[in-house]
Amino acid sequence: MKTVILTLKESDATDWRMNWPTSTVLAIFAIALGGCVQVSAPEEPIVIELNIRVQQTVDVNLTEDVENLIENNPELFPE
Amino acid sequence: MNIPKMTRNRTKIAGLLAVIAAIGGVAVMAPAQGSAVTQAISAGVVGETASGYLGFAQTPSAELRAQVDAINLGRRSAYSDLAQQRGTTRQQVAAETACSRLSSINPGGAYQLRDGVWRTRGSAPIPTPDYC
């Protein structure tokens, strides 16, 4: 990510002397794109992964508890 | 002196016999109750439901209904306790139990999934629903 942003800024600087409107548009795009990528990429995947792990742990524990519940209360679970 | 003592002893023995008879009666009654429900399960009258409770695939006798209702009340209480211990809901525990029970249904036994349809297990095991 950092490499991409730097490259855009360098080209931005060279464009600045030669072509005013192009460099301005490029600069706006670069800032906009840089902002988008930087905000979304690092935060969301970590949060989702943690949620899945926690949910799985709860499910596994509950399944074990439920098996114990059934075993310990045969009168409630006739077959 | 001897006569009242003997009477007392007789009373004691009679009381002891009554206690033994009562315990015996309870011991005999308990499995009998269980077996009525067990028989109904084998016959496909009573079966497991996706809600985690027993249900009726066919109309039961009043006696059978009362016994199944008692079991379901006991389950409800057990689900509540476990849910509280694990910080989850009673419904979550009940649903998890229902999933577990599906694999314990014998061939010929009735079961009801979330679609509300009563089915009878054939020789093949019941396919696990995707929510389990």
Side-chain angles (χ1 to χ4, degrees), chain B residues 117-130:
Chain B
V117 178
W118 279 100
R119 293 179 181 82
T120 305
R121 197 204 131 161
S123 51
I126 299 163
T128 312
D130 53 5

Side-chain angles (χ1 to χ4, degrees), chain A:
Chain A
M1 287 308 145
K2 277 177 185 173
T3 328
V4 174
I5 293 158
L6 281 172
T7 319
L8 281 173
K9 276 180 181 171
E10 277 167 15
S11 64
D12 194 19
T14 42
D15 279 352
W16 189 267
R17 289 177 227 131
M18 295 174 150
N19 193 335
W20 242 86
T22 316
S23 65
T24 314
V25 169
L26 271 175
I28 290 165
F29 269 112
I31 290 162
L33 279 174
C36 282
V37 173
Q38 269 181 326
V39 171
S40 59
E43 284 179 25
E44 282 183 27
I46 295 166
V47 174
I48 291 167
E49 210 177 327
L50 275 175
N51 279 346
I52 291 167
R53 280 182 190 162
V54 169
Q55 191 59 46
Q56 279 175 338
T57 317
V58 168
D59 281 352
V60 167
N61 283 342
L62 194 56
T63 308
E64 281 174 15
D65 290 342
V66 160
E67 294 302 331
N68 289 335
L69 180 78
I70 293 169
E71 269 178 44
N72 296 334
N73 298 282
E75 75 283 0
L76 294 180
F77 298 96
E79 281 177 33

